[in-house]
């Protein structure tokens, strides 16, 4: 759920391949910086994932076509596909944007006088 740093990916993939026989390693993913303006050039998070795949393949003897890239969302999927993404998440383009949940502090302020508020 939290992922790992780019420097840790190869060792994590190696661990999965060697020790997690019930898992099938398919690829790596990133979520690019929220609100990145693609008119400013290629998303550095996407470029980093492409580089990480190269490093994983080199260090573990895998072919690049064996390691999928999952990157890109509704606002930047075109650029992600151009850089090799095989999986994109475009839910908000289909279903619309979700309302963000208020933070705990705001929720407590909105429910003043109510005890045991859960968020």
């Amino acid at each position: 759920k939290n992922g790992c740093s780019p420097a840790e990916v190869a060792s994590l993939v190696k661990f999965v391949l060697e020790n997690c026989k019930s898992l099938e390693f398919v690829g790596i993913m990133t979520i690019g910086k929220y609100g990145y303006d693609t008119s400013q050039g290629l998303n550095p998070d996407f470029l980093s994932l492409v580089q990480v795949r190269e490093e994983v393949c080199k260090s573990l003897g895998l072919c690049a076509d064996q390691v999928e890239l999952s990157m890109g969302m509704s606002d930047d999927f075109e650029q992600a596909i151009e850089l090799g993404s095989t999986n994109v998440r475009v839910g908000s383009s289909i279903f619309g944007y979700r309302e963000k949940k208020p933070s705990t502090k705001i929720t407590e302020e909105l429910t003043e006088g109510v005890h045991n508020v859960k968020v």
Side-chain angles (χ1 to χ4, degrees), residues 5 10 22 24-25 29 31 39 59 63 68 73 75 78 80 85-86 91 95 97-98 101 104 110 114 117:
S5 72
S22 295
E24 177 185 1
F25 171 69
M29 76 166 281
I31 297 176
S39 70
S59 67
C63 294
E68 293 186 22
M73 297 175 78
D75 294 332
E78 294 97 343
S85 182
T86 54
F95 301 110
Y97 289 92
R98 293 185 276 178
K101 291 182 179 180
T104 302
L110 292 173
V114 177
V117 175

Side-chain angles (χ1 to χ4, degrees), residues 12-87:
L12 178 59
V13 171
K14 181 178 181 184
F15 179 85
V16 169
L17 292 172
E18 293 176 351
N19 300 291
C20 303
K21 301 303 176 192
S22 295
L23 297 179
E24 177 185 1
F25 171 69
V26 176
I28 54 179
M29 76 166 281
T30 191
I31 297 176
K33 179 180 177 185
Y34 181 75
Y36 179 77
D37 181 0
T38 56
S39 70
Q40 299 298 310
L42 297 174
N43 187 318
D45 296 326
F46 297 169
L47 293 172
S48 177
L49 195 66
V50 171
Q51 177 69 35
V52 166
R53 178 174 63 181
E54 290 174 16
E55 292 168 7
V56 166
C57 291
K58 182 179 179 181
S59 67
L60 300 177
L62 302 173
C63 294
D65 61 358
Q66 292 176 291
V67 181
E68 293 186 22
L69 296 178
S70 177
M71 57 187 181
M73 297 175 78
S74 292
D75 294 332
D76 57 11
F77 72 90
E78 294 97 343
Q79 191 178 82
I81 291 170
E82 288 174 17
L83 290 171
S85 182
T86 54
N87 296 286

